[in-house]
Amino acid sequence: MNNFNYTRAGNIQEAMSLVSQNSDAGFLAGGTNMVDLLKYNLVHPELLVDINHIPEHRGILETEDGGVQLGAFATNAETAYHPLIETRYPLLSRAILAGASAQIRNMATNGGNLLQRTRCYYFYDPNTPCNKRKPGSGCSAIGGYNRIMAILGASEDCIAVFPSDMCVALSALDAVVRIDGVDGTRSLPFAEFHRLPGNNPERDNNLQPGEIITSIDLPEKGFEKNYSYLKLRDRSSYAFALVSVATGLDLEGDVIKEARIALGGVAHKPWRIKDAEDFLAGKSPSAENFAAAAKIILNGAVGYGHNNFKIDLAKRAVVRNCLMALNPESQQPGAHPSI
Amino acid sequence: MQTVSTGLKPDVHLTNSRIISLHVNGVPRIADVAPWVSLLDALRDHLDLTGTKKGCDHGQCGACTVLCDGKRILSCLTLAVMKEGAEITTIEGIAQDDVLHPLQKAFIENDAFQCGYCTPGQICSAIGMLSEGKANSRAEVKELMSGNLCRCGANTNIIDAIMEVKNARL
Ligand SMILES: Cc1cc2nc3c(=O)[nH]c(=O)nc-3n(C[C@H](O)[C@H](O)[C@H](O)COP(=O)(O)OP(=O)(O)OC[C@H]3O[C@@H](n4cnc5c(N)ncnc54)[C@H](O)[C@@H]3O)c2cc1C
Ligand code: SF4
Ligand code: FES
Ligand code: FES
């Protein structure tokens, strides 16, 4: 870890001006990713601005348009167990509780969750080439050990995946990210927040330097009747996803009115394919139809050797999770191990 | 003490090492720590409270679990300066004088450890879990204790011990 300075910001303006005046300054929220990156010497800030004591943006609040606003500084645990989230957006609650551990969820904030870095092994190993860590140095995962890497949307420069569970549900729910900057506020639809690696894998998302996430807004529709989050991993708890699926279904009798399917663990961002969701609209919720949708979602998927298994695994996970979304028995609140 | 020029407002605290005050196990404590010192290292090396253990130092094992304002957190991924003014409870602070905490007793009675290295974290985590009130069954206790790894494999007895205390409270 390098030597750095630390200060607590009392409000958003102070936090933003401190960080935007100094290109070597960064925000510190729960610290669960930042402190780890400091220990691996992957970040070398001159100043960390602690945003945990800013009184605003800590709540989970109903909005005027019928949705719910998640404060960026609320913890993952506060969010997952909040009555509004448990009852109206149980898909989000389950996805958050599938991630990390109870201790980490008590520390991690909603804003920080969106900005966590990849878990690619080479990214953490300074002795190996990695374009995300050192642009232009090459990608060790291509041709290297790549069991956990991407099968969709990767580039010749980077095949890393974005490891969040929470964000897979936020993607399925069409969340909107609210951002403050010294030049004013803006918002980004969730699909436009994270990036594919392309030629700039060092950039995970479209947040600009000095900008701060203030909230994540959920539209009214929560798919609280038919939803499921399936996380497949190397052990049944406290491990990152190999493949995860968030499904929300809006059913009218035996017909799907609207389907949402987002995948985690397969790409540099949560993966959603509108064509697959459109295909399901108006059809019956059958295993055959879900399998056809899964095929559309995985269209163009490529493995890099060790991760070839993810293509079939993802297809089967989509079908299984959509069938689980039909079954209220599988929809109990709380944290659950992988099955 | 080293002063770094960053061109920031003068009222920003810019010296590296600083005095912080914490309440640890109900006692006000002062520590002179640099910003990059983890809460775990501050407890062990600055305050001589070596009950809290360092396993991985990367958030992956739970050995360093302490309670901060009653909530279980990982002290290895927390900077000590972030907790200025907070109430920290470590394994040293959970017995009442000579009377063991019910979880400490249950761990002994259920043979819930071998080497004992994970035990302080397991017990602090279990206290946090019971006060969260989200675990209703053995399966849920197991899931909500998954952030504490035991490399000796005492897990079955650990869950037995926690269930005993949980059931006694109902
Ligand atoms: C062992 C382990 C296992 C984990 N397992 C999982 C898992 O299974 N699933 C999962 O989804 N996650 C998992 N995580 C990751 C965890 O969820 C993230 O580390 C956490 O959400 C980050 O939030 P934070 O508040 O701690 O962020 P910090 O570490 O404080 O910050 C992360 C980054 O975000 C920036 N930042 C934070 N808040 C804001 C804001 N409001 N505006 C602008 N910038 C901001 C910081 O500057 C920093 O760059 C795991 C972590 C660990 C250590
Ligand atoms: S996959 Fe991306 S993060 Fe991993 S080594 Fe290649 S460039 Fe680095
Ligand atoms: S030492 Fe903190 S989690 Fe392992
Ligand atoms: S008792 Fe040895 S690690 Fe748990």
Side-chain angles (χ1 to χ4, degrees):
Chain A
M1 233 190 279
N2 68 302
N3 294 7
F4 55 83
N5 283 298
Y6 164 93
T7 190
R8 286 182 179 182
N11 57 56
I12 294 273
Q13 262 57 43
E14 190 188 358
M16 280 189 315
S17 75
L18 284 168
V19 169
S20 57
Q21 281 170 42
N22 182 345
S23 59
D24 291 323
F27 298 117
L28 178 64
T32 60
N33 197 215
M34 181 55 107
V35 176
D36 206 24
L37 295 169
L38 286 166
K39 290 184 181 191
Y40 282 112
N41 247 315
L42 290 173
V43 289
H44 314 95
E46 187 175 288
L47 171 70
L48 283 184
V49 177
D50 187 340
I51 52 180
N52 291 291
H53 301 271
I54 296 176
E56 312 94 74
H57 310 296
R58 316 196 62 85
I60 310 295
L61 307 166
E62 280 178 300
T63 55
E64 275 173 16
D65 62 3
V68 167
Q69 180 162 77
L70 315 176
F73 311 137
T75 66
N76 285 180
E78 284 161 359
T79 307
Y81 291 124
H82 195 283
L84 279 173
I85 305 305
E86 282 189 326
T87 55
R88 292 189 49 192
Y89 306 94
L91 173 62
L92 176 62
S93 177
R94 286 290 292 266
I96 295 173
L97 295 176
S101 67
Q103 290 95 315
I104 294 170
R105 297 191 295 264
N106 276 344
M107 305 162 71
T109 62
N110 293 334
N113 194 299
L114 271 61
L115 299 170
Q116 60 178 297
R117 306 299 313 265
T118 184
R119 293 279 159 174
C120 170
Y121 339 99
Y122 302 103
F123 178 68
Y124 291 88
D125 179 355
N127 300 313
T128 58
C130 167
N131 287 322
K132 193 181 270 302
R133 173 167 34 76
K134 191 168 182 242
S137 62
C139 171
S140 300
I142 300 174
Y145 190 63
N146 49 46
R147 175 174 161 75
I148 64 170
M149 304 300 170
I151 50 171
L152 288 160
S155 74
E156 284 175 1
D157 289 340
C158 179
I159 60 171
V161 303
F162 175 58
S164 166
D165 290 292
M166 177 182 190
C167 291
V168 183
L170 291 175
S171 161
L173 291 168
D174 270 344
V176 174
V177 187
R178 302 250 179 247
I179 298 164
D180 260 20
V182 273
D183 300 329
T185 63
R186 63 181 184 123
S187 36
L188 277 178
F190 210 77
E192 291 167 30
F193 185 81
H194 293 101
R195 299 176 73 251
L196 289 179
N199 299 323
N200 303 90
E202 70 278 10
R203 292 188 55 203
D204 294 347
N205 53 61
N206 290 316
L207 199 69
Q208 300 303 318
E211 283 187 326
I212 193 164
I213 300 175
T214 54
S215 72
I216 300 128
D217 290 7
L218 301 172
E220 188 169 3
K221 200 157 183 175
F223 299 92
E224 71 286 356
K225 290 205 184 70
N226 291 98
Y227 68 90
S228 184
Y229 188 73
L230 176 64
K231 180 174 180 182
L232 301 170
R233 40 190 161 172
D234 279 331
R235 57 185 190 209
S236 64
S237 184
Y238 199 18
F240 286 96
L242 290 166
V243 168
S244 71
V245 188
T247 300
L249 296 174
D250 183 2
L251 300 173
E252 209 167 49
D254 199 25
V255 173
I256 301 170
K257 238 172 98 185
E258 189 180 355
R260 303 268 181 88
I261 304 173
L263 272 65
V266 297
H268 202 258
K269 60 190 283 190
W271 196 258
R272 250 184 90 182
I273 296 294
K274 193 164 182 305
D275 284 351
E277 298 175 4
D278 290 346
F279 165 84
L280 286 172
K283 299 217 168 50
S284 71
S286 66
E288 293 69 37
N289 285 332
F290 293 138
K295 213 172 143 194
I296 301 173
I297 295 170
L298 273 297
N299 189 21
V302 280
Y304 293 84
H306 305 108
N307 71 348
N308 291 353
F309 73 96
K310 278 194 182 183
I311 301 176
D312 264 354
L313 186 68
K315 281 186 193 158
R316 289 201 296 265
V318 167
V319 177
R320 179 173 179 175
N321 195 50
C322 290
L323 291 173
M324 279 165 53
L326 302 172
N327 173 15
E329 293 270 295
S330 68
Q331 291 158 30
Q332 294 147 4
H336 299 268
S338 287
I339 34 174
Chain B
M1 275 207 246
Q2 185 192 348
T3 308
V4 177
S5 155
T6 59
L8 297 168
K9 296 192 300 196
D11 61 326
V12 175
H13 199 30
L14 282 180
T15 48
N16 275 349
S17 179
R18 66 198 49 214
I19 309 283
I20 60 164
S21 61
L22 301 161
H23 284 261
V24 186
N25 301 326
V27 182
R29 299 290 300 263
I30 300 285
D32 186 353
V33 292
W36 52 88
V37 173
S38 68
L39 178 62
L40 174 59
D41 288 344
L43 290 169
R44 291 181 56 85
D45 301 339
H46 294 250
L47 300 176
D48 292 329
L49 292 167
T50 53
T52 307
K53 300 298 183 231
K54 183 184 285 189
C56 63
D57 213 19
H58 287 286
Q60 298 171 357
C61 74
C64 65
T65 304
V66 298
L67 298 163
C68 173
D69 298 325
K71 289 199 173 129
R72 47 178 170 162
I73 62 160
L74 299 178
S75 59
C76 73
L77 291 187
T78 303
L79 300 176
V81 286
M82 294 166 72
K83 296 302 170 193
E84 158 108 62
E87 187 79 51
I88 307 292
T89 307
T90 69
I91 191 69
E92 288 93 341
I94 66 162
Q96 297 281 328
D97 300 322
D98 281 345
V99 183
L100 292 182
H101 186 280
L103 273 162
Q104 289 175 304
K105 263 216 237 32
F107 267 61
I108 295 168
E109 279 158 15
N110 286 275
D111 198 12
F113 44 78
Q114 288 177 38
C115 75
Y117 201 79
C118 71
T119 314
Q122 298 277 6
I123 290 178
C124 288
S125 184
I127 293 174
M129 185 201 64
L130 292 174
S131 77
E132 285 157 17
K134 300 297 179 188
N136 298 309
S137 62
R138 187 180 174 96
E140 287 175 2
V141 167
K142 269 175 80 176
E143 170 61 22
L144 289 171
M145 286 297 296
S146 74
N148 293 82
L149 308 188
C150 174
R151 74 113 36 250
C152 295
N155 301 73
T156 309
N157 296 6
I158 291 169
I159 304 298
D160 285 347
I162 298 170
M163 287 307 289
E164 198 174 286
V165 174
K166 181 177 146 50
N167 291 334
R169 286 191 176 185
L170 287 179

